[in-house]
Amino acid sequence: RPERPLLRNARQPAPGLRLGRDGGLTFKARIEKMSPEVVDSNPYSRLMALKRMGIVNDYERIRTFAIAIVGVGGVGSVTAEMLTRCGIGKLLLFDYDKVELANMNRLFFQPHQAGLSKVQAAEHTLRNINPDVLFEVHNYNITTVENFQHFMDRISNGGLQEGKPVDLVLSCVDNFEARMTINTACNELGQTWMESGVSENAVSGHIQLIIPGESACFACAPPLVVAANIDEKTLKREGVCAASLPTTMGVVAGILVQNVLKLYRNISSANTYLNYNAMQDFFPTMSMKPNPQCDDRNCRKQQEEYKKKVAALPKEEVVQEEEEIIHEDNEWGIELVSEVSEEELKNSSGPVPDLPEGITVAYTIPKKQEDSVPDVTVEDSGESLEDLMAKMKNM
Amino acid sequence: RPERPLLRNARQPAPGLRLGRDGGLTFKARIEKMSPEVVDSNPYSRLMALKRMGIVNDYERIRTFAIAIVGVGGVGSVTAEMLTRCGIGKLLLFDYDKVELANMNRLFFQPHQAGLSKVQAAEHTLRNINPDVLFEVHNYNITTVENFQHFMDRISNGGLQEGKPVDLVLSCVDNFEARMTINTACNELGQTWMESGVSENAVSGHIQLIIPGESACFACAPPLVVAANIDEKTLKREGVCAASLPTTMGVVAGILVQNVLKLYRNISSANTYLNYNAMQDFFPTMSMKPNPQCDDRNCRKQQEEYKKKVAALPKEEVVQEEEEIIHEDNEWGIELVSEVSEEELKNSSGPVPDLPEGITVAYTIPKKQEDSVPDVTVEDSGESLEDLMAKMKNM
């Protein structure tokens, strides 16, 4: 685990700051209670104002949440910064990459951090921004066998109170394998998580809320992307280095954290899937039901448990199943990273769900087993957050 | 003008960096040519990849643009950082505020900068991030008579080449007076600009493209906001301090800069008005025609000139006027800062345009003269960027 850098000058003189033995400013004491007081020195005044505005009832409750962020790149770093500035209780950061000058076209990291591990650099910056947040950083790749076990352990025990699970996992990784790894862990643990991503051409992105057993998991259906009216062949050319923009990544991180706040602050309903098409300022949303034939047996197990839970609810609390909308058109497209022909692609890909107009499959699931046909249905509207929260509490 | 801080360690050793006389790293030489080379030390590789992906033809052209940002707060600072990381040619920053700890719930500024002027702190951070960008900062309030003249002069002469106008003005201010000041300046100069804003309750925001004479200016119609299903009375209570969230401001800045890139990189069409409703992940867009009875005589003058220009175009190039969509419903709501009754509000406000469902007026124009009825029409779709660019080039 990386060494924790010694921090000074975390804040200018302000309530809670003390002078150290060397006369310099030292790490200030934790602000015990978020104050709504409207003074320039109060870092929480504009957040606590959300209560006065009637947006949330108990903003302070954000300090009781622990969130794990996997991937501290263009989306993950901004996600971590937003949560830090919002005053989250604890952040667990996972990444094994180093900061490079080639990352400077995205927000957050600075040139002088080149060469540092991303989690170490991020922790240093974030502690300076808000010393009230607890940080736990892991400089490793979660997809190796050994690290996967440790990752599972930290998700299960790394909550605000050691031994309790984290409240949410956010996937901000840039590859299929890492997403599948998070999916496997969360299906096994019954851990709610959110997926995010930005396309290789930098002009579209998505977020997805996954509640094991209740909504489609990452293995239930291939990830979706909004058709960007770009010839997909241009995406495959060379394929050496993906394009990226601070704008798209900032928007995806912003919408991701906004939905985290909605999910945990009961602000409103969180969408289970939202796409961002930057070319057309198009933001379609939808929800996806789990696939009863999902390859992940823990997903199927969670589905069974969820069914039992719903069946056990008193009649009036039973969540109404929305009518399935059958999409007659079967159009779909594929955006891909690797250099294969469309024919190979279609042959190697699993069946593709019927999708609303304008939504296509981002990429296909490699090594799809036999012909287990996923019965994925796509709805045009999400469930209300109150329902989701109620269900989560019952887990 | 604030002193320019001496910068060290602007970048880790990388092509272009030199050792200074004191043995430390000094400000590196400007990278003369953006390179597409895929190496970790190239800060532009992921941006130049946009060319390989077929998104833009000449990404490097971004270095020829100068953009003025008025207001370096929650939206303006992130806007400036995104443009800096994208490698914009020159940024002119205008603000008269100081960094406070109460700003720490938004991105960009750090606690150790508390007490510094926002433009000075921003310039320091941004130069460190990308020393290739030219910065010009003004620590003053543009709304005073003297400063307004200087502001007009810098918009007219502060381009990449001194004596040429800037290419775009971005309004990231938080009050009506400053927006009207920018509007007045841009109408007089025929300067294209973009407006942005976030609501007092922190859960909605907007961006608006204003091309004098061609689209509605800020005085043509009151600013619009998406109805957030929040009791507007909660917004008026106390009214001491507005709420803010790093998420909403990050999303608005991201969509703003994304549309700047589209506007100047010919990526696609830029919308003239886009709203963000964070509660519902709802992003309606529209375009607005100018009001022939606008209070601003320079707006009316620009409208006349635009008409002449369109009339002088060869027949096939004439922009087709889209059919005006008449909205039968007359529903509208008002979100407000001050403590007035709805009755007073309605009486004091100017006429309100017919708006699509879900869009309401953000606030009204104070001291509206007599009863000059604006004939504002709202369309559901924007013009293509190619048209806009062609027209701008003809100005």
Side-chain angles (χ1 to χ4, degrees):
Chain A
R1 216 177 285 178
E3 211 182 308
R4 298 250 163 109
L6 183 69
L7 296 184
R8 290 172 206 278
N9 293 335
R11 275 198 182 138
Q12 292 290 88
L17 253 186
R18 296 172 304 205
L19 284 183
R21 282 189 202 169
D22 60 352
L25 292 171
T26 60
F27 202 68
K28 75 150 195 34
R30 192 161 195 253
I31 292 178
E32 280 309 315
K33 201 174 171 324
M34 283 187 169
S35 157
E37 198 190 355
V38 181
V39 288
D40 289 343
S41 58
N42 178 9
Y44 298 120
S45 59
R46 304 297 199 271
L47 295 166
M48 294 294 277
L50 289 165
K51 293 169 71 171
R52 203 169 50 236
M53 296 284 175
I55 305 295
V56 287
N57 293 327
D58 53 352
Y59 188 83
E60 307 90 308
R61 213 163 65 93
I62 196 167
R63 301 183 81 168
T64 67
F65 293 112
I67 296 185
I69 300 176
V70 188
V72 188
V75 173
S77 62
V78 180
T79 294
E81 181 174 348
M82 287 176 173
L83 288 168
T84 297
R85 290 182 184 269
C86 282
I88 192 82
K90 180 178 176 181
L91 285 183
L92 297 86
L93 307 180
F94 297 84
D95 204 311
Y96 63 97
D97 231 0
K98 279 193 159 47
V99 180
E100 305 287 359
L101 287 183
N103 304 138
M104 293 306 133
N105 70 318
R106 281 146 277 175
L107 296 178
F108 192 75
F109 291 114
Q110 305 228 352
H112 71 266
Q113 296 175 312
L116 294 177
S117 78
K118 284 186 177 174
V119 293
Q120 187 185 11
E123 183 186 16
H124 183 104
T125 302
L126 296 173
R127 271 189 196 275
N128 262 304
I129 289 171
N130 191 349
D132 294 336
V133 179
L134 300 174
F135 295 94
E136 177 182 318
V137 304
H138 299 287
N139 185 22
Y140 61 58
N141 179 349
I142 64 163
T143 68
T144 69
V145 175
E146 188 193 350
N147 292 336
F148 179 72
Q149 284 310 318
H150 192 264
F151 173 66
M152 288 272 287
D153 176 66
R154 296 317 297 151
I155 298 307
S156 308
N157 298 300
L160 196 65
Q161 203 187 328
E162 183 62 26
K164 298 273 185 192
V166 302
D167 295 282
L168 187 67
V169 175
L170 298 178
S171 161
C172 303
V173 298
D174 62 358
N175 65 85
F176 182 85
E177 192 189 2
R179 287 185 174 95
M180 281 299 270
T181 303
I182 298 166
N183 192 59
T184 301
C186 291
N187 275 337
E188 185 170 337
L189 300 171
Q191 172 66 55
T192 296
W193 63 293
M194 289 183 84
E195 194 336 68
S196 69
V198 170
S199 65
E200 295 272 308
N201 67 3
V203 292
S204 70
H206 71 272
I207 66 164
Q208 181 175 5
L209 171 65
I210 299 175
I211 305 174
E214 214 178 309
S215 50
C217 86
F218 193 73
C220 283
L224 308 174
V225 77
V226 168
N229 284 351
I230 296 166
D231 181 1
E232 63 198 43
K233 276 159 207 77
T234 62
L235 292 178
K236 294 181 203 167
R237 241 172 24 213
E238 300 182 44
V240 184
C241 137
S244 58
L245 283 167
T247 46
T248 310
M249 292 192 159
V251 170
V252 169
I255 296 176
L256 178 68
V257 179
Q258 200 80 284
N259 278 278
V260 170
L261 296 178
K262 287 194 275 184
L263 191 59
Y264 284 96
R265 308 314 305 152
N266 285 344
I267 287 180
S268 176
S269 64
N271 278 299
T272 60
Y273 195 94
L274 180 144
N275 216 304
Y276 167 42
N277 176 332
M279 308 291 264
Q280 283 143 27
D281 287 325
F282 178 43
F283 300 78
T285 60
M286 67 183 126
S287 63
M288 287 186 289
K289 290 186 184 172
N291 171 9
Q293 277 93 45
C294 180
D295 283 347
D296 188 320
R297 71 174 179 85
N298 283 310
C299 174
R300 298 195 305 271
K301 202 176 123 200
Q302 298 286 355
Q303 290 181 49
E304 289 309 311
E305 285 176 21
Y306 174 63
K307 269 186 207 154
K308 279 183 214 155
K309 219 171 303 162
V310 172
L313 286 176
K315 261 281 190 281
E316 66 271 39
E317 286 183 40
V318 173
V319 180
Q320 289 197 324
E321 289 290 317
E322 288 162 56
E323 267 184 54
E324 287 181 20
I325 293 157
I326 309 300
H327 296 274
E328 296 300 335
D329 57 317
N330 209 1
E331 285 179 83
W332 54 285
I334 291 175
E335 283 189 51
L336 193 75
V337 184
S338 63
E339 298 270 273
V340 294
S341 72
E342 287 194 29
E343 200 52 42
E344 285 174 308
L345 244 178
K346 281 182 187 170
N347 292 339
S348 69
S349 72
V352 171
D354 292 335
L355 297 169
E357 204 184 325
I359 310 274
T360 66
V361 177
Y363 41 88
T364 56
I365 300 175
K367 293 185 225 137
K368 186 79 185 169
Q369 290 154 0
E370 293 136 45
D371 47 359
S372 60
V373 181
D375 182 24
V376 179
T377 55
V378 179
E379 296 161 66
D380 283 331
S381 65
E383 284 181 274
S384 85
L385 178 64
E386 287 65 35
D387 296 339
L388 298 177
M389 286 296 289
K391 284 179 238 167
M392 272 193 285
K393 279 175 190 156
N394 290 332
M395 277 182 177
Chain B
R1 214 178 285 180
E3 212 180 306
R4 298 251 163 108
L6 184 69
L7 297 185
R8 290 172 205 278
N9 293 336
R11 273 197 185 140
Q12 292 290 87
L17 252 185
R18 296 171 304 205
L19 284 183
R21 281 188 201 170
D22 61 352
L25 292 172
T26 59
F27 203 68
K28 75 150 194 32
R30 192 160 196 255
I31 292 178
E32 280 309 316
K33 201 174 171 323
M34 282 186 170
S35 157
E37 198 190 356
V38 181
V39 288
D40 288 343
S41 58
N42 178 9
Y44 299 120
S45 59
R46 304 296 199 273
L47 296 166
M48 294 294 276
L50 289 165
K51 294 170 70 171
R52 204 170 48 236
M53 296 283 175
I55 305 294
V56 287
N57 293 326
D58 52 353
Y59 188 83
E60 308 89 308
R61 214 164 63 94
I62 196 166
R63 301 185 80 169
T64 66
F65 294 111
I67 295 185
I69 299 175
V70 188
V72 188
V75 173
S77 62
V78 180
T79 296
E81 182 173 348
M82 286 176 171
L83 288 168
T84 297
R85 291 184 184 266
C86 282
I88 193 81
K90 179 178 176 181
L91 285 182
L92 297 86
L93 306 179
F94 296 84
D95 204 312
Y96 63 99
D97 232 0
K98 279 191 158 48
V99 179
E100 306 286 0
L101 287 183
N103 304 139
M104 292 308 132
N105 71 319
R106 281 146 277 175
L107 297 177
F108 192 74
F109 291 115
Q110 307 228 351
H112 71 266
Q113 296 175 313
L116 293 177
S117 79
K118 285 186 176 173
V119 293
Q120 187 185 11
E123 182 186 15
H124 183 104
T125 301
L126 297 172
R127 271 189 195 276
N128 262 304
I129 291 170
N130 191 349
D132 294 337
V133 179
L134 300 174
F135 294 95
E136 177 182 317
V137 303
H138 299 287
N139 185 22
Y140 62 58
N141 180 348
I142 64 163
T143 68
T144 69
V145 175
E146 189 192 350
N147 292 338
F148 179 71
Q149 283 312 316
H150 192 264
F151 173 65
M152 289 272 286
D153 175 67
R154 296 318 298 152
I155 299 305
S156 309
N157 298 300
L160 196 65
Q161 202 187 329
E162 182 62 26
K164 299 274 185 192
V166 302
D167 295 281
L168 187 66
V169 175
L170 298 178
S171 161
C172 302
V173 298
D174 62 359
N175 65 85
F176 182 84
E177 192 188 3
R179 288 185 172 95
M180 281 299 270
T181 303
I182 298 166
N183 191 60
T184 301
C186 291
N187 275 337
E188 185 170 338
L189 301 171
Q191 172 66 56
T192 295
W193 63 292
M194 289 183 84
E195 195 334 69
S196 69
V198 170
S199 65
E200 295 272 308
N201 66 3
V203 292
S204 71
H206 71 272
I207 66 165
Q208 181 175 4
L209 171 64
I210 299 176
I211 305 174
E214 213 177 309
S215 50
C217 85
F218 193 74
C220 282
L224 308 174
V225 78
V226 168
N229 284 351
I230 296 164
D231 181 2
E232 62 198 44
K233 275 159 208 77
T234 62
L235 292 177
K236 293 179 205 169
R237 239 169 32 210
E238 302 181 43
V240 185
C241 139
S244 58
L245 283 166
T247 47
T248 310
M249 292 193 159
V251 169
V252 168
I255 296 176
L256 178 68
V257 179
Q258 200 81 284
N259 277 279
V260 170
L261 296 177
K262 287 195 274 183
L263 191 60
Y264 284 97
R265 308 312 308 150
N266 285 344
I267 286 180
S268 175
S269 63
N271 279 299
T272 61
Y273 194 95
L274 181 144
N275 215 304
Y276 168 42
N277 175 333
M279 308 290 265
Q280 284 143 25
D281 287 325
F282 177 44
F283 300 78
T285 59
M286 66 183 126
S287 63
M288 287 187 288
K289 290 186 184 174
N291 171 9
Q293 278 93 43
C294 180
D295 284 347
D296 187 320
R297 70 174 179 83
N298 282 311
C299 174
R300 299 196 305 271
K301 203 176 124 198
Q302 298 285 356
Q303 290 181 48
E304 288 310 310
E305 285 177 22
Y306 175 63
K307 269 185 206 155
K308 279 183 213 155
K309 222 171 303 164
V310 172
L313 287 176
K315 261 284 190 279
E316 67 270 39
E317 285 184 40
V318 173
V319 180
Q320 288 197 327
E321 291 288 318
E322 286 163 57
E323 267 184 54
E324 288 180 20
I325 292 156
I326 309 300
H327 297 274
E328 296 299 337
D329 58 316
N330 210 1
E331 287 178 82
W332 53 285
I334 291 175
E335 284 190 50
L336 192 76
V337 183
S338 61
E339 298 269 274
V340 295
S341 72
E342 286 194 30
E343 199 53 41
E344 284 174 309
L345 245 179
K346 281 183 187 171
N347 292 339
S348 69
S349 73
V352 172
D354 291 335
L355 297 169
E357 204 184 326
I359 311 275
T360 65
V361 178
Y363 40 89
T364 56
I365 300 175
K367 293 184 227 140
K368 186 80 185 167
Q369 290 153 2
E370 293 136 47
D371 49 0
S372 61
V373 181
D375 181 25
V376 179
T377 56
V378 179
E379 296 161 67
D380 282 331
S381 66
E383 284 181 277
S384 85
L385 176 65
E386 288 63 37
D387 296 340
L388 298 176
M389 286 296 289
K391 283 180 238 168
M392 272 192 287
K393 279 175 188 153
N394 289 332
M395 277 182 177

